[in-house]
Amino acid sequence: QHEQGMTTEDWLILAITHLESTNEVIDDYQGKGKIARNFGQYFPVSGCVPSAGWGRGYRRAGLGGGEADGRDDDVGARSAVRV
C-alpha cells in the first residue's frame, strides 16, 4: 500500500547512502544486479522513463532512459514507500 516508483533523485540518494555504509554499489548490471528503471518519473513527449545503474567499465553511475513498456533482461525496477 502507498508504494510508488523511485525518481532519479531517490535512486541517487539510495546509491550514495548504500555506498557510504557498505562500500558496495547498487544496480551493477555487469555483475550482480540490473539497471533500475525509475518509474517515479515519466516523460510523455518521449515516452521514456529514466533509468540508472553502475557501469564497471567507467567505474561510475550511469543515467539513461528507456521506453516505459520496454522489456530487457538486464533491467528491473525499484519501488519505494513514502513515510
XYZ file of all heavy atoms in Angstrom:
631
model
N 0.840 -1.173 0.000
C 0.000 0.000 0.000
C 0.890 1.242 0.000
O 1.913 1.284 0.676
C -0.908 -0.001 1.222
C -1.946 1.067 1.165
C -2.936 0.924 2.330
O -2.723 0.186 3.259
N -4.006 1.665 2.243
N 0.514 2.252 -0.756
C 1.230 3.526 -0.891
C 2.593 3.359 -1.557
O 3.456 4.200 -1.405
C 1.388 4.234 0.464
C 0.102 4.454 1.173
N -0.845 5.336 0.731
C -0.406 3.873 2.286
C -1.883 5.311 1.547
N -1.639 4.419 2.490
N 2.766 2.275 -2.294
C 4.025 2.045 -2.976
C 4.049 2.871 -4.252
O 3.038 3.041 -4.916
C 4.117 0.555 -3.298
C 5.454 0.111 -3.776
C 5.498 -1.395 -3.944
O 4.844 -1.905 -4.864
O 6.165 -2.037 -3.139
N 5.214 3.389 -4.578
C 5.357 4.148 -5.821
C 6.761 3.958 -6.359
O 7.659 3.518 -5.652
C 5.067 5.624 -5.587
C 5.983 6.285 -4.591
C 5.529 7.703 -4.290
O 4.394 8.054 -4.512
N 6.418 8.494 -3.775
N 6.943 4.292 -7.621
C 8.249 4.156 -8.236
C 9.219 5.216 -7.737
O 8.823 6.289 -7.292
N 10.491 4.887 -7.814
C 11.521 5.835 -7.407
C 11.782 6.836 -8.534
O 11.579 6.532 -9.706
C 12.828 5.108 -7.082
C 12.735 4.202 -5.874
S 14.302 3.392 -5.509
C 15.124 4.702 -4.632
N 12.265 8.008 -8.156
C 12.720 9.001 -9.118
C 14.237 8.874 -9.244
O 14.881 8.168 -8.469
C 12.370 10.429 -8.666
O 13.081 10.707 -7.460
C 10.872 10.589 -8.440
N 14.811 9.557 -10.193
C 16.265 9.555 -10.342
C 16.928 10.100 -9.084
O 17.938 9.567 -8.623
C 16.672 10.390 -11.573
O 16.039 9.832 -12.722
C 18.172 10.396 -11.765
N 16.343 11.136 -8.497
C 16.902 11.711 -7.268
C 16.842 10.709 -6.113
O 17.804 10.595 -5.341
C 16.153 12.999 -6.888
C 16.340 14.145 -7.857
C 15.433 14.083 -9.091
O 14.605 13.164 -9.211
O 15.573 14.974 -9.948
N 15.734 9.969 -6.005
C 15.637 8.919 -4.980
C 16.737 7.885 -5.169
O 17.371 7.443 -4.216
C 14.287 8.194 -5.062
C 13.099 9.058 -4.721
O 13.251 10.025 -3.942
O 11.999 8.760 -5.232
N 16.958 7.477 -6.425
C 17.966 6.466 -6.716
C 19.358 6.964 -6.348
O 20.148 6.214 -5.762
C 17.921 6.072 -8.199
C 18.865 4.946 -8.508
C 18.593 3.613 -8.444
C 20.241 5.054 -8.878
N 19.710 2.885 -8.758
C 20.744 3.747 -9.031
C 21.109 6.120 -9.103
C 22.061 3.480 -9.400
C 22.420 5.857 -9.465
C 22.887 4.556 -9.610
N 19.661 8.209 -6.684
C 20.985 8.759 -6.363
C 21.226 8.783 -4.856
O 22.311 8.422 -4.389
C 21.132 10.169 -6.951
C 21.304 10.223 -8.463
C 21.141 11.652 -8.963
C 22.659 9.670 -8.859
N 20.222 9.183 -4.092
C 20.358 9.204 -2.629
C 20.569 7.792 -2.107
O 21.449 7.548 -1.264
C 19.134 9.876 -1.981
C 19.144 11.368 -2.303
C 19.113 9.648 -0.465
C 17.859 12.089 -1.970
N 19.793 6.829 -2.594
C 19.950 5.440 -2.168
C 21.334 4.911 -2.529
O 22.001 4.268 -1.714
C 18.865 4.561 -2.801
C 18.984 3.062 -2.533
C 18.825 2.762 -1.054
C 17.960 2.299 -3.354
N 21.779 5.166 -3.748
C 23.082 4.677 -4.206
C 24.222 5.239 -3.363
O 25.123 4.502 -2.954
C 23.279 5.030 -5.684
N 24.185 6.527 -3.086
C 25.246 7.158 -2.286
C 25.214 6.657 -0.848
O 26.253 6.318 -0.271
C 25.125 8.694 -2.347
C 25.452 9.181 -3.754
C 26.029 9.355 -1.307
C 25.080 10.620 -4.013
N 24.030 6.585 -0.253
C 23.894 6.117 1.121
C 24.383 4.676 1.253
O 25.117 4.335 2.181
C 22.422 6.222 1.586
O 21.996 7.571 1.440
C 22.261 5.788 3.025
N 23.979 3.820 0.315
C 24.398 2.415 0.353
C 25.913 2.292 0.176
O 26.567 1.514 0.882
C 23.667 1.625 -0.730
C 23.929 0.160 -0.679
N 23.329 -0.667 0.226
C 24.760 -0.623 -1.415
C 23.760 -1.905 0.050
N 24.636 -1.893 -0.952
N 26.479 3.050 -0.748
C 27.926 3.017 -0.985
C 28.693 3.461 0.252
O 29.679 2.834 0.651
C 28.284 3.895 -2.185
C 29.761 3.962 -2.563
C 30.293 2.581 -2.930
C 29.961 4.940 -3.711
N 28.237 4.525 0.888
C 28.923 5.023 2.089
C 28.845 4.043 3.252
O 29.789 3.898 4.013
C 28.344 6.368 2.520
C 28.742 7.508 1.610
C 28.126 8.832 2.026
O 27.127 8.836 2.770
O 28.644 9.868 1.588
N 27.717 3.361 3.407
C 27.548 2.483 4.569
C 28.091 1.065 4.352
O 28.469 0.403 5.314
C 26.082 2.427 4.997
O 25.288 1.884 3.978
N 28.166 0.587 3.097
C 28.607 -0.795 2.861
C 29.837 -0.903 1.961
O 30.384 -1.989 1.806
C 27.483 -1.613 2.192
O 27.256 -1.093 0.883
C 26.207 -1.593 3.018
N 30.232 0.186 1.343
C 31.325 0.207 0.370
C 31.011 -0.688 -0.837
O 31.900 -1.255 -1.445
C 32.652 -0.182 1.012
C 33.829 0.320 0.206
O 33.765 1.371 -0.432
N 34.909 -0.430 0.203
N 29.720 -0.827 -1.171
C 29.285 -1.593 -2.332
C 28.327 -0.747 -3.165
O 27.563 0.041 -2.623
C 28.555 -2.869 -1.899
C 29.431 -3.869 -1.203
C 28.666 -5.116 -0.803
O 27.426 -5.146 -0.985
O 29.302 -6.034 -0.302
N 28.381 -0.954 -4.479
C 27.478 -0.228 -5.373
C 26.175 -1.004 -5.529
O 26.118 -2.205 -5.258
C 28.122 0.007 -6.757
C 29.350 0.877 -6.624
C 28.449 -1.301 -7.449
N 25.130 -0.322 -5.963
C 23.858 -0.979 -6.260
C 23.661 -1.004 -7.768
O 24.290 -0.249 -8.509
C 22.653 -0.280 -5.578
C 22.499 1.158 -6.070
C 22.784 -0.333 -4.071
C 21.206 1.826 -5.613
N 22.798 -1.889 -8.213
C 22.391 -1.966 -9.620
C 23.582 -2.074 -10.569
O 23.682 -1.381 -11.567
C 21.493 -0.774 -9.976
C 20.259 -0.743 -9.095
O 19.732 -1.818 -8.777
O 19.832 0.351 -8.709
N 24.486 -2.991 -10.231
C 25.657 -3.289 -11.055
C 25.225 -4.274 -12.128
O 25.299 -5.480 -11.954
C 26.757 -3.876 -10.171
C 27.991 -4.278 -10.949
O 28.027 -4.067 -12.182
O 28.925 -4.813 -10.328
N 24.752 -3.768 -13.249
C 24.177 -4.621 -14.288
C 25.218 -5.487 -14.988
O 24.879 -6.420 -15.683
C 23.381 -3.800 -15.299
C 24.218 -2.857 -16.131
C 24.692 -3.237 -17.367
C 24.521 -1.577 -15.668
C 25.455 -2.373 -18.137
C 25.270 -0.715 -16.426
C 25.737 -1.112 -17.656
O 26.490 -0.264 -18.401
N 26.500 -5.200 -14.800
C 27.547 -6.032 -15.391
C 28.061 -7.057 -14.378
O 28.965 -7.813 -14.678
C 28.696 -5.150 -15.874
C 28.270 -4.250 -17.012
C 29.271 -3.148 -17.283
O 29.814 -2.556 -16.360
N 29.504 -2.876 -18.549
N 27.482 -7.064 -13.198
C 27.872 -8.002 -12.157
C 26.641 -8.593 -11.522
O 25.900 -9.338 -12.144
N 26.396 -8.209 -10.266
C 25.198 -8.676 -9.566
C 24.173 -7.553 -9.584
O 24.274 -6.612 -8.827
C 25.529 -9.029 -8.112
C 26.548 -10.134 -7.967
C 26.795 -10.454 -6.511
C 27.404 -9.263 -5.809
N 27.749 -9.506 -4.425
N 23.202 -7.638 -10.411
C 22.164 -6.617 -10.419
C 21.638 -6.320 -11.802
O 22.014 -6.952 -12.782
N 20.779 -5.343 -11.839
C 20.149 -4.912 -13.081
C 20.102 -3.392 -13.101
O 20.232 -2.751 -12.071
C 18.718 -5.450 -13.168
C 18.637 -6.954 -13.239
C 17.199 -7.401 -13.320
C 17.151 -8.891 -13.456
N 16.486 -9.331 -14.647
N 19.898 -2.836 -14.255
C 19.664 -1.406 -14.370
C 18.301 -1.130 -13.747
O 17.352 -1.866 -13.974
C 19.678 -0.966 -15.844
C 21.072 -1.179 -16.440
C 19.218 0.472 -15.994
C 21.132 -0.987 -17.932
N 18.203 -0.094 -12.951
C 16.938 0.250 -12.283
C 16.143 1.224 -13.144
O 16.625 2.313 -13.463
C 17.200 0.860 -10.922
N 14.960 0.833 -13.531
C 14.056 1.734 -14.233
C 13.304 2.521 -13.166
O 12.672 1.941 -12.290
C 13.121 0.888 -15.096
C 12.303 1.560 -16.135
C 13.005 2.191 -17.319
N 13.939 1.459 -18.121
C 13.666 0.728 -19.177
N 12.437 0.565 -19.567
N 14.603 0.143 -19.857
N 13.399 3.828 -13.187
C 12.825 4.697 -12.151
C 11.446 5.190 -12.566
O 11.292 6.277 -13.112
C 13.776 5.867 -11.861
C 15.100 5.378 -11.318
O 15.132 4.550 -10.427
N 16.183 5.873 -11.862
N 10.441 4.384 -12.250
C 9.076 4.656 -12.696
C 8.393 5.798 -11.949
O 7.248 6.106 -12.225
C 8.221 3.389 -12.597
C 8.549 2.389 -13.662
C 9.328 1.283 -13.387
C 8.089 2.580 -14.947
C 9.637 0.371 -14.384
C 8.387 1.676 -15.951
C 9.164 0.567 -15.665
N 9.088 6.432 -11.019
C 8.524 7.588 -10.332
C 8.494 8.819 -11.217
O 7.916 9.847 -10.866
N 9.128 8.725 -12.380
C 9.139 9.810 -13.354
C 8.739 9.239 -14.713
O 9.016 8.083 -15.009
C 10.539 10.410 -13.477
C 10.994 11.152 -12.244
C 12.461 11.521 -12.363
O 13.303 10.656 -12.463
N 12.745 12.812 -12.339
N 8.121 10.064 -15.514
C 7.736 9.657 -16.862
C 7.728 10.901 -17.726
O 7.256 11.957 -17.314
C 6.347 9.005 -16.845
C 5.820 8.687 -18.215
C 6.436 7.721 -19.003
C 4.713 9.344 -18.730
C 5.954 7.416 -20.268
C 4.218 9.048 -19.995
C 4.851 8.089 -20.753
O 4.377 7.790 -22.010
N 8.273 10.799 -18.910
C 8.330 11.919 -19.829
C 7.436 11.612 -21.032
O 7.846 10.905 -21.955
C 9.776 12.173 -20.257
C 10.673 12.450 -19.084
C 11.531 11.479 -18.601
C 10.630 13.676 -18.436
C 12.349 11.722 -17.512
C 11.436 13.931 -17.343
C 12.300 12.954 -16.882
N 6.174 12.109 -21.008
C 5.199 11.742 -22.038
C 5.616 12.071 -23.470
O 5.278 11.335 -24.391
C 3.951 12.535 -21.659
C 4.168 13.052 -20.293
C 5.629 13.024 -20.028
N 6.331 13.154 -23.678
C 6.702 13.548 -25.041
C 7.563 12.468 -25.695
O 7.370 12.114 -26.856
C 7.437 14.909 -25.043
C 7.985 15.234 -26.405
C 6.506 16.004 -24.575
N 8.509 11.918 -24.936
C 9.388 10.885 -25.491
C 8.887 9.480 -25.201
O 9.342 8.511 -25.814
C 10.797 11.030 -24.911
O 10.770 10.783 -23.512
N 7.969 9.350 -24.225
C 7.506 8.027 -23.816
C 8.527 7.279 -22.993
O 8.465 6.065 -22.857
N 9.501 8.006 -22.439
C 10.605 7.375 -21.717
C 10.486 7.501 -20.201
O 9.879 8.434 -19.681
C 11.933 7.994 -22.135
S 12.434 7.513 -23.781
N 11.098 6.532 -19.546
C 11.234 6.507 -18.094
C 12.739 6.503 -17.827
O 13.481 5.764 -18.481
C 10.590 5.221 -17.516
C 10.884 5.071 -16.052
C 9.094 5.239 -17.758
N 13.228 7.309 -16.868
C 14.659 7.324 -16.598
C 15.126 6.008 -15.974
O 14.362 5.308 -15.315
C 14.853 8.491 -15.639
C 13.525 8.844 -15.128
C 12.506 8.275 -16.045
N 16.391 5.692 -16.193
C 16.984 4.505 -15.596
C 18.364 4.858 -15.064
O 18.948 5.879 -15.439
C 17.066 3.373 -16.616
O 17.832 3.776 -17.728
N 18.862 4.011 -14.164
C 20.161 4.254 -13.552
C 20.814 2.922 -13.209
O 20.133 1.938 -12.945
C 19.998 5.100 -12.292
N 22.118 2.905 -13.209
C 22.861 1.700 -12.857
C 24.335 2.013 -12.715
O 24.788 3.123 -12.995
N 25.080 1.018 -12.261
C 26.521 1.180 -12.088
C 27.228 0.568 -13.284
O 26.968 -0.578 -13.654
C 26.987 0.497 -10.809
C 28.447 0.631 -10.592
C 29.406 -0.310 -10.836
C 29.148 1.783 -10.129
N 30.646 0.182 -10.549
C 30.519 1.466 -10.111
C 28.749 3.059 -9.737
C 31.484 2.380 -9.704
C 29.708 3.965 -9.335
C 31.059 3.624 -9.316
N 28.128 1.337 -13.906
C 28.904 0.843 -15.037
C 30.320 0.505 -14.604
O 31.080 1.407 -14.253
N 30.667 -0.765 -14.593
C 32.010 -1.187 -14.159
C 33.104 -0.632 -15.052
O 34.163 -0.235 -14.590
C 32.109 -2.706 -14.165
C 31.402 -3.347 -13.035
C 31.618 -4.839 -13.084
N 30.955 -5.446 -11.947
C 31.304 -6.603 -11.460
N 32.275 -7.286 -12.015
N 30.663 -7.090 -10.432
N 32.858 -0.638 -16.354
C 33.873 -0.166 -17.290
C 34.259 1.282 -17.051
O 35.426 1.658 -17.185
N 33.269 2.092 -16.689
C 33.529 3.518 -16.449
C 33.735 3.821 -14.971
O 34.089 4.932 -14.611
C 32.355 4.354 -16.971
C 32.125 4.204 -18.443
C 31.011 3.531 -18.922
C 33.032 4.718 -19.363
C 30.792 3.384 -20.287
C 32.833 4.567 -20.727
C 31.706 3.906 -21.177
O 31.501 3.764 -22.519
N 33.441 2.840 -14.101
C 33.540 2.992 -12.642
C 32.758 4.211 -12.159
O 33.245 5.036 -11.398
C 34.995 3.062 -12.189
C 35.727 1.787 -12.457
C 37.073 1.752 -11.864
N 37.812 2.949 -12.177
C 39.129 3.046 -12.133
N 39.842 2.022 -11.812
N 39.727 4.172 -12.425
N 31.522 4.314 -12.649
C 30.653 5.411 -12.232
C 29.196 5.042 -12.503
O 28.899 4.128 -13.266
C 31.012 6.697 -12.941
C 30.775 6.641 -14.424
C 31.138 7.947 -15.092
N 30.954 7.828 -16.535
C 31.597 8.542 -17.397
N 32.471 9.426 -17.019
N 31.367 8.391 -18.684
N 28.321 5.800 -11.888
C 26.894 5.608 -12.112
C 26.547 6.125 -13.498
O 27.105 7.120 -13.962
C 26.079 6.352 -11.052
N 25.641 5.444 -14.127
C 25.172 5.860 -15.442
C 23.685 6.133 -15.393
O 22.925 5.367 -14.800
N 23.282 7.232 -15.977
C 21.863 7.594 -16.044
C 21.438 7.571 -17.502
O 22.188 8.002 -18.374
C 21.639 8.986 -15.447
C 22.111 9.191 -14.005
C 21.924 10.642 -13.592
C 21.383 8.257 -13.070
N 20.258 7.054 -17.734
C 19.756 6.972 -19.098
C 18.248 6.936 -19.090
O 17.608 7.458 -18.184
N 17.684 6.283 -20.056
C 16.235 6.173 -20.137
C 15.835 5.100 -21.114
O 16.662 4.580 -21.851
N 14.581 4.771 -21.073
C 14.062 3.758 -21.980
C 12.559 3.850 -22.067
O 11.924 4.563 -21.284
N 12.004 3.140 -23.003
C 10.553 3.138 -23.182
C 9.873 2.553 -21.953
O 10.350 1.591 -21.367
C 10.185 2.335 -24.417
C 10.698 2.944 -25.702
C 10.348 2.091 -26.905
O 9.561 1.148 -26.770
O 10.877 2.396 -27.977
N 8.765 3.144 -21.580
C 8.044 2.705 -20.381
C 7.577 1.258 -20.505
O 7.530 0.533 -19.517
C 6.856 3.617 -20.116
N 7.248 0.822 -21.703
C 6.776 -0.552 -21.870
C 7.857 -1.477 -22.417
O 7.591 -2.619 -22.759
C 5.550 -0.596 -22.766
C 5.821 -0.044 -24.162
O 6.928 0.482 -24.392
O 4.924 -0.118 -25.013
N 9.104 -0.986 -22.479
C 10.203 -1.802 -22.982
C 10.593 -2.902 -21.996
O 10.458 -2.748 -20.791
N 11.056 -4.017 -22.529
C 11.489 -5.137 -21.690
C 12.910 -5.510 -22.065
O 13.271 -5.505 -23.232
C 10.578 -6.338 -21.880
C 9.195 -6.068 -21.394
C 8.267 -7.186 -21.780
N 6.907 -6.744 -21.545
C 6.047 -7.403 -20.822
N 6.378 -8.535 -20.270
N 4.843 -6.938 -20.643
N 13.689 -5.845 -21.040
C 15.070 -6.232 -21.256
C 15.508 -7.081 -20.077
O 15.105 -6.820 -18.940
C 15.942 -4.985 -21.383
C 17.259 -5.266 -22.066
O 17.697 -6.437 -22.075
O 17.867 -4.327 -22.595
N 16.334 -8.070 -20.313
C 16.764 -8.968 -19.241
C 17.610 -8.291 -18.180
O 17.661 -8.752 -17.046
C 17.541 -10.149 -19.811
C 16.654 -11.118 -20.571
O 15.422 -11.076 -20.361
O 17.190 -11.911 -21.364
N 18.310 -7.216 -18.537
C 19.164 -6.568 -17.540
C 18.548 -5.295 -16.951
O 19.243 -4.450 -16.416
C 20.550 -6.277 -18.115
C 20.534 -5.278 -19.264
O 19.438 -4.923 -19.727
O 21.624 -4.862 -19.689
N 17.214 -5.176 -17.026
C 16.518 -4.010 -16.470
C 15.470 -4.467 -15.471
O 14.731 -5.416 -15.717
C 15.845 -3.171 -17.587
C 15.043 -2.027 -17.003
C 16.889 -2.649 -18.562
N 15.425 -3.800 -14.325
C 14.426 -4.072 -13.299
C 13.836 -2.762 -12.810
O 14.033 -1.724 -13.428
N 13.136 -2.814 -11.710
C 12.534 -1.599 -11.149
C 12.653 -1.637 -9.633
O 12.704 -2.693 -9.031
C 11.076 -1.482 -11.547
N 12.742 -0.473 -9.046
C 12.737 -0.328 -7.599
C 11.477 0.434 -7.235
O 11.054 1.323 -7.947
C 13.943 0.457 -7.115
C 15.233 -0.300 -7.233
C 16.338 0.511 -6.573
N 17.580 -0.205 -6.618
C 17.970 -1.090 -5.725
N 17.202 -1.357 -4.696
N 19.109 -1.710 -5.832
N 10.943 0.101 -6.100
C 9.793 0.870 -5.624
C 10.116 1.390 -4.240
O 11.055 0.950 -3.590
C 8.535 -0.002 -5.588
O 8.735 -1.108 -4.736
N 9.342 2.358 -3.803
C 9.570 2.991 -2.505
C 8.225 3.284 -1.851
O 7.203 3.392 -2.523
C 10.349 4.281 -2.678
N 8.241 3.384 -0.553
C 7.070 3.784 0.201
C 7.428 5.072 0.928
O 8.402 5.129 1.671
C 6.640 2.707 1.215
C 5.468 3.186 2.042
C 6.301 1.420 0.490
N 6.693 6.124 0.678
C 6.947 7.409 1.338
C 6.451 7.338 2.774
O 5.382 6.830 3.042
C 6.225 8.532 0.614
C 6.622 8.677 -0.811
C 7.804 9.604 -0.950
N 8.141 9.715 -2.357
C 9.364 9.593 -2.811
N 10.351 9.383 -2.007
N 9.615 9.709 -4.088
N 7.254 7.849 3.667
C 6.872 7.853 5.091
C 6.639 9.257 5.556
O 7.233 10.176 5.156
C 7.959 7.230 5.974
C 7.323 6.543 7.153
C 8.835 6.278 5.244
